[in-house]
Amino acid sequence: MSYRYATERADHSALASGQVLRSAPGYPGFPVRLADELLQRAMVHVEGDRVRLWDPCCGSGYLVTVLGLLHRDLLTHVRASDVSSDAVGIAARNLELLTAEGLAERERELRRSARDFGRVAFVERAEAARDLAAGLAAMGGDLPHESAVADVFSLTDPVDADLVITDVPYGEMTHWDGEAPEDPVRGLLASMGRVLPRNSVVVVTARTRRVRLPEGVRALERVKVGNRSAVLLRARDLAAL
């Protein structure tokens, strides 16, 4: 695939997992440039210039936090949910980095670590947190957000989101939990069709050659980069699943 929007190889080292954003074993990151590209591709298909973003398989919250820091100007709200309470605990701490105070506290934490351990790397991370705070302020300031423990397969209540972007478990570092059906991707899509507004856009990524869709479901776009594939869908096309 040729990048259509994230055409420049920008330095996103400040957004690397474990630098300013918090990480933990078993919670992988996501390629920042690909996340940037997928959000901008999806924006072509949504209504309006700004959207409410949701990741229903959020893990550590890395993907939506990165998107919030990259594109605060395009987002009005970020929601992260996962069946694992441990994952949501990490995600909640990462989502706090979408606020000036959260980034300031992270900078202070990293500077304390630099003093305690005498490592220059922590000073560099602290300065990266400061730079991210300046960028967030320039794009609109604090981004409203929420996190919740929820099994993606058993959702019933409507979710006010215009755009879903999620990287599904792929069996190496991550796996499906909860009431996972035999075909988890179909179950995920069926759930999105139940709870999202009809015009919402759903972006599903996976480490596979091609994200397999249920018969009769039409993709808005397909994307393939390296060992990851993504598919863009309209929520109304999932309602019959």
mmCIF file of all heavy atoms in Angstrom, residues 205-233:
data_model
loop_
_atom_site.group_PDB
_atom_site.id
_atom_site.type_symbol
_atom_site.label_atom_id
_atom_site.label_comp_id
_atom_site.label_asym_id
_atom_site.label_seq_id
_atom_site.Cartn_x
_atom_site.Cartn_y
_atom_site.Cartn_z
ATOM 1 N N THR A 205 -8.139 -3.844 12.431
ATOM 2 C CA THR A 205 -6.819 -4.248 11.955
ATOM 3 C C THR A 205 -6.430 -5.565 12.619
ATOM 4 O O THR A 205 -6.886 -5.891 13.713
ATOM 5 C CB THR A 205 -5.743 -3.184 12.263
ATOM 6 O OG1 THR A 205 -5.341 -3.288 13.632
ATOM 7 C CG2 THR A 205 -6.261 -1.786 11.996
ATOM 8 N N ALA A 206 -5.570 -6.316 11.950
ATOM 9 C CA ALA A 206 -5.103 -7.592 12.479
ATOM 10 C C ALA A 206 -3.780 -7.948 11.822
ATOM 11 O O ALA A 206 -3.463 -7.470 10.723
ATOM 12 C CB ALA A 206 -6.128 -8.696 12.222
ATOM 13 N N ARG A 207 -3.021 -8.788 12.483
ATOM 14 C CA ARG A 207 -1.790 -9.305 11.886
ATOM 15 C C ARG A 207 -2.157 -10.515 11.034
ATOM 16 O O ARG A 207 -2.106 -11.658 11.483
ATOM 17 C CB ARG A 207 -0.790 -9.688 12.973
ATOM 18 C CG ARG A 207 -0.130 -8.491 13.618
ATOM 19 C CD ARG A 207 1.097 -8.899 14.387
ATOM 20 N NE ARG A 207 1.778 -7.754 14.946
ATOM 21 C CZ ARG A 207 2.928 -7.817 15.610
ATOM 22 N NH1 ARG A 207 3.513 -8.994 15.772
ATOM 23 N NH2 ARG A 207 3.485 -6.738 16.102
ATOM 24 N N THR A 208 -2.522 -10.231 9.821
ATOM 25 C CA THR A 208 -2.955 -11.260 8.888
ATOM 26 C C THR A 208 -2.841 -10.702 7.484
ATOM 27 O O THR A 208 -2.733 -9.476 7.298
ATOM 28 C CB THR A 208 -4.409 -11.684 9.181
ATOM 29 O OG1 THR A 208 -4.800 -12.720 8.283
ATOM 30 C CG2 THR A 208 -5.367 -10.518 9.024
ATOM 31 N N ARG A 209 -2.870 -11.565 6.494
ATOM 32 C CA ARG A 209 -2.789 -11.092 5.106
ATOM 33 C C ARG A 209 -4.040 -10.323 4.713
ATOM 34 O O ARG A 209 -3.990 -9.413 3.897
ATOM 35 C CB ARG A 209 -2.602 -12.276 4.167
ATOM 36 C CG ARG A 209 -1.237 -12.959 4.303
ATOM 37 C CD ARG A 209 -1.108 -14.092 3.302
ATOM 38 N NE ARG A 209 -1.222 -13.598 1.937
ATOM 39 C CZ ARG A 209 -1.319 -14.382 0.867
ATOM 40 N NH1 ARG A 209 -1.331 -15.705 1.013
ATOM 41 N NH2 ARG A 209 -1.413 -13.856 -0.333
ATOM 42 N N ARG A 210 -5.191 -10.689 5.293
ATOM 43 C CA ARG A 210 -6.451 -10.070 4.918
ATOM 44 C C ARG A 210 -7.459 -10.296 6.039
ATOM 45 O O ARG A 210 -7.595 -11.412 6.534
ATOM 46 C CB ARG A 210 -6.978 -10.686 3.612
ATOM 47 C CG ARG A 210 -8.237 -10.054 3.042
ATOM 48 C CD ARG A 210 -8.574 -10.739 1.720
ATOM 49 N NE ARG A 210 -9.807 -10.241 1.137
ATOM 50 C CZ ARG A 210 -9.900 -9.208 0.317
ATOM 51 N NH1 ARG A 210 -8.801 -8.548 -0.017
ATOM 52 N NH2 ARG A 210 -11.059 -8.831 -0.203
ATOM 53 N N VAL A 211 -8.138 -9.241 6.463
ATOM 54 C CA VAL A 211 -9.188 -9.385 7.470
ATOM 55 C C VAL A 211 -10.411 -9.980 6.781
ATOM 56 O O VAL A 211 -10.996 -9.373 5.885
ATOM 57 C CB VAL A 211 -9.539 -8.025 8.110
ATOM 58 C CG1 VAL A 211 -10.670 -8.199 9.128
ATOM 59 C CG2 VAL A 211 -8.305 -7.408 8.778
ATOM 60 N N ARG A 212 -10.778 -11.188 7.189
ATOM 61 C CA ARG A 212 -11.893 -11.892 6.552
ATOM 62 C C ARG A 212 -13.223 -11.340 7.058
ATOM 63 O O ARG A 212 -13.451 -11.226 8.255
ATOM 64 C CB ARG A 212 -11.810 -13.391 6.853
ATOM 65 C CG ARG A 212 -12.826 -14.236 6.115
ATOM 66 C CD ARG A 212 -12.516 -15.709 6.286
ATOM 67 N NE ARG A 212 -12.557 -16.110 7.690
ATOM 68 C CZ ARG A 212 -13.685 -16.482 8.318
ATOM 69 N NH1 ARG A 212 -14.827 -16.497 7.668
ATOM 70 N NH2 ARG A 212 -13.623 -16.846 9.582
ATOM 71 N N LEU A 213 -14.108 -11.009 6.127
ATOM 72 C CA LEU A 213 -15.410 -10.454 6.464
ATOM 73 C C LEU A 213 -16.505 -11.495 6.270
ATOM 74 O O LEU A 213 -16.404 -12.360 5.393
ATOM 75 C CB LEU A 213 -15.721 -9.235 5.592
ATOM 76 C CG LEU A 213 -14.805 -8.025 5.763
ATOM 77 C CD1 LEU A 213 -15.219 -6.922 4.802
ATOM 78 C CD2 LEU A 213 -14.819 -7.530 7.204
ATOM 79 N N PRO A 214 -17.580 -11.397 7.046
ATOM 80 C CA PRO A 214 -18.730 -12.282 6.822
ATOM 81 C C PRO A 214 -19.316 -12.063 5.428
ATOM 82 O O PRO A 214 -19.233 -10.959 4.866
ATOM 83 C CB PRO A 214 -19.719 -11.854 7.912
ATOM 84 C CG PRO A 214 -18.887 -11.183 8.949
ATOM 85 C CD PRO A 214 -17.778 -10.522 8.216
ATOM 86 N N GLU A 215 -19.902 -13.085 4.885
ATOM 87 C CA GLU A 215 -20.519 -12.988 3.560
ATOM 88 C C GLU A 215 -21.550 -11.872 3.537
ATOM 89 O O GLU A 215 -22.371 -11.738 4.449
ATOM 90 C CB GLU A 215 -21.176 -14.320 3.199
ATOM 91 C CG GLU A 215 -21.724 -14.372 1.783
ATOM 92 C CD GLU A 215 -22.285 -15.733 1.433
ATOM 93 O OE1 GLU A 215 -22.130 -16.668 2.248
ATOM 94 O OE2 GLU A 215 -22.873 -15.863 0.340
ATOM 95 N N GLY A 216 -21.498 -11.066 2.485
ATOM 96 C CA GLY A 216 -22.464 -9.993 2.314
ATOM 97 C C GLY A 216 -22.046 -8.660 2.896
ATOM 98 O O GLY A 216 -22.703 -7.646 2.652
ATOM 99 N N VAL A 217 -20.964 -8.619 3.675
ATOM 100 C CA VAL A 217 -20.484 -7.359 4.255
ATOM 101 C C VAL A 217 -19.474 -6.727 3.308
ATOM 102 O O VAL A 217 -18.482 -7.354 2.925
ATOM 103 C CB VAL A 217 -19.848 -7.589 5.639
ATOM 104 C CG1 VAL A 217 -19.242 -6.293 6.162
ATOM 105 C CG2 VAL A 217 -20.882 -8.125 6.621
ATOM 106 N N ARG A 218 -19.750 -5.502 2.933
ATOM 107 C CA ARG A 218 -18.916 -4.804 1.945
ATOM 108 C C ARG A 218 -17.925 -3.876 2.651
ATOM 109 O O ARG A 218 -18.273 -3.138 3.566
ATOM 110 C CB ARG A 218 -19.808 -3.985 1.015
ATOM 111 C CG ARG A 218 -19.069 -3.186 -0.052
ATOM 112 C CD ARG A 218 -20.065 -2.446 -0.930
ATOM 113 N NE ARG A 218 -20.850 -1.489 -0.175
ATOM 114 C CZ ARG A 218 -20.466 -0.236 0.040
ATOM 115 N NH1 ARG A 218 -19.311 0.207 -0.427
ATOM 116 N NH2 ARG A 218 -21.250 0.592 0.721
ATOM 117 N N ALA A 219 -16.683 -3.920 2.213
ATOM 118 C CA ALA A 219 -15.654 -3.036 2.765
ATOM 119 C C ALA A 219 -15.685 -1.676 2.066
ATOM 120 O O ALA A 219 -15.849 -1.598 0.841
ATOM 121 C CB ALA A 219 -14.280 -3.663 2.606
ATOM 122 N N LEU A 220 -15.512 -0.617 2.835
ATOM 123 C CA LEU A 220 -15.319 0.706 2.251
ATOM 124 C C LEU A 220 -13.926 0.806 1.637
ATOM 125 O O LEU A 220 -13.744 1.366 0.561
ATOM 126 C CB LEU A 220 -15.483 1.787 3.325
ATOM 127 C CG LEU A 220 -16.860 1.918 3.973
ATOM 128 C CD1 LEU A 220 -16.788 2.887 5.145
ATOM 129 C CD2 LEU A 220 -17.886 2.400 2.952
ATOM 130 N N GLU A 221 -12.947 0.270 2.360
ATOM 131 C CA GLU A 221 -11.569 0.232 1.881
ATOM 132 C C GLU A 221 -10.862 -0.928 2.556
ATOM 133 O O GLU A 221 -11.254 -1.372 3.639
ATOM 134 C CB GLU A 221 -10.800 1.512 2.262
ATOM 135 C CG GLU A 221 -11.209 2.773 1.569
ATOM 136 C CD GLU A 221 -10.232 3.910 1.892
ATOM 137 O OE1 GLU A 221 -8.993 3.686 1.797
ATOM 138 O OE2 GLU A 221 -10.699 5.004 2.237
ATOM 139 N N ARG A 222 -9.793 -1.391 1.928
ATOM 140 C CA ARG A 222 -8.888 -2.343 2.538
ATOM 141 C C ARG A 222 -7.468 -1.777 2.482
ATOM 142 O O ARG A 222 -7.112 -1.091 1.513
ATOM 143 C CB ARG A 222 -8.939 -3.705 1.832
ATOM 144 C CG ARG A 222 -10.190 -4.527 2.168
ATOM 145 C CD ARG A 222 -10.090 -5.919 1.587
ATOM 146 N NE ARG A 222 -11.221 -6.763 1.950
ATOM 147 C CZ ARG A 222 -11.305 -7.480 3.058
ATOM 148 N NH1 ARG A 222 -10.308 -7.446 3.939
ATOM 149 N NH2 ARG A 222 -12.359 -8.228 3.301
ATOM 150 N N VAL A 223 -6.687 -2.084 3.520
ATOM 151 C CA VAL A 223 -5.324 -1.573 3.620
ATOM 152 C C VAL A 223 -4.422 -2.728 4.032
ATOM 153 O O VAL A 223 -4.797 -3.550 4.872
ATOM 154 C CB VAL A 223 -5.238 -0.446 4.676
ATOM 155 C CG1 VAL A 223 -3.796 0.007 4.865
ATOM 156 C CG2 VAL A 223 -6.118 0.732 4.278
ATOM 157 N N LYS A 224 -3.233 -2.796 3.436
ATOM 158 C CA LYS A 224 -2.247 -3.824 3.805
ATOM 159 C C LYS A 224 -0.884 -3.159 3.903
ATOM 160 O O LYS A 224 -0.404 -2.549 2.951
ATOM 161 C CB LYS A 224 -2.209 -4.928 2.747
ATOM 162 C CG LYS A 224 -1.180 -6.030 3.039
ATOM 163 C CD LYS A 224 -1.669 -6.961 4.126
ATOM 164 C CE LYS A 224 -0.771 -8.208 4.243
ATOM 165 N NZ LYS A 224 0.574 -7.896 4.785
ATOM 166 N N VAL A 225 -0.286 -3.239 5.106
ATOM 167 C CA VAL A 225 1.051 -2.693 5.328
ATOM 168 C C VAL A 225 1.851 -3.717 6.112
ATOM 169 O O VAL A 225 1.493 -4.071 7.241
ATOM 170 C CB VAL A 225 1.012 -1.367 6.105
ATOM 171 C CG1 VAL A 225 2.420 -0.905 6.438
ATOM 172 C CG2 VAL A 225 0.289 -0.289 5.317
ATOM 173 N N GLY A 226 2.931 -4.220 5.522
ATOM 174 C CA GLY A 226 3.758 -5.200 6.210
ATOM 175 C C GLY A 226 2.941 -6.419 6.596
ATOM 176 O O GLY A 226 2.256 -7.014 5.761
ATOM 177 N N ASN A 227 2.997 -6.783 7.878
ATOM 178 C CA ASN A 227 2.255 -7.963 8.330
ATOM 179 C C ASN A 227 0.891 -7.613 8.910
ATOM 180 O O ASN A 227 0.250 -8.450 9.539
ATOM 181 C CB ASN A 227 3.074 -8.743 9.373
ATOM 182 C CG ASN A 227 3.350 -7.926 10.633
ATOM 183 O OD1 ASN A 227 2.964 -6.755 10.731
ATOM 184 N ND2 ASN A 227 4.028 -8.536 11.588
ATOM 185 N N ARG A 228 0.447 -6.374 8.707
ATOM 186 C CA ARG A 228 -0.864 -5.967 9.202
ATOM 187 C C ARG A 228 -1.794 -5.633 8.046
ATOM 188 O O ARG A 228 -1.400 -5.021 7.062
ATOM 189 C CB ARG A 228 -0.757 -4.753 10.121
ATOM 190 C CG ARG A 228 -0.538 -5.103 11.589
ATOM 191 C CD ARG A 228 -0.716 -3.875 12.459
ATOM 192 N NE ARG A 228 -0.758 -4.222 13.857
ATOM 193 C CZ ARG A 228 0.311 -4.326 14.655
ATOM 194 N NH1 ARG A 228 1.502 -4.110 14.142
ATOM 195 N NH2 ARG A 228 0.185 -4.639 15.930
ATOM 196 N N SER A 229 -3.065 -6.020 8.232
ATOM 197 C CA SER A 229 -4.125 -5.654 7.301
ATOM 198 C C SER A 229 -5.194 -4.889 8.065
ATOM 199 O O SER A 229 -5.344 -5.048 9.279
ATOM 200 C CB SER A 229 -4.743 -6.898 6.668
ATOM 201 O OG SER A 229 -3.815 -7.562 5.851
ATOM 202 N N ALA A 230 -5.946 -4.094 7.349
ATOM 203 C CA ALA A 230 -7.048 -3.351 7.947
ATOM 204 C C ALA A 230 -8.206 -3.295 6.966
ATOM 205 O O ALA A 230 -8.012 -3.342 5.748
ATOM 206 C CB ALA A 230 -6.614 -1.942 8.325
ATOM 207 N N VAL A 231 -9.388 -3.180 7.513
ATOM 208 C CA VAL A 231 -10.584 -3.022 6.693
ATOM 209 C C VAL A 231 -11.438 -1.911 7.298
ATOM 210 O O VAL A 231 -11.556 -1.798 8.519
ATOM 211 C CB VAL A 231 -11.364 -4.351 6.579
ATOM 212 C CG1 VAL A 231 -11.862 -4.828 7.936
ATOM 213 C CG2 VAL A 231 -12.509 -4.234 5.605
ATOM 214 N N LEU A 232 -11.987 -1.070 6.435
ATOM 215 C CA LEU A 232 -12.869 0.016 6.851
ATOM 216 C C LEU A 232 -14.294 -0.348 6.466
ATOM 217 O O LEU A 232 -14.548 -0.757 5.315
ATOM 218 C CB LEU A 232 -12.474 1.343 6.184
ATOM 219 C CG LEU A 232 -11.242 2.065 6.717
ATOM 220 C CD1 LEU A 232 -9.957 1.303 6.411
ATOM 221 C CD2 LEU A 232 -11.161 3.493 6.144
ATOM 222 N N LEU A 233 -15.226 -0.189 7.412
ATOM 223 C CA LEU A 233 -16.601 -0.638 7.222
ATOM 224 C C LEU A 233 -17.574 0.429 7.713
ATOM 225 O O LEU A 233 -17.221 1.278 8.534
ATOM 226 C CB LEU A 233 -16.852 -1.936 8.020
ATOM 227 C CG LEU A 233 -15.892 -3.102 7.747
ATOM 228 C CD1 LEU A 233 -15.800 -3.983 8.960
ATOM 229 C CD2 LEU A 233 -16.363 -3.864 6.534
#
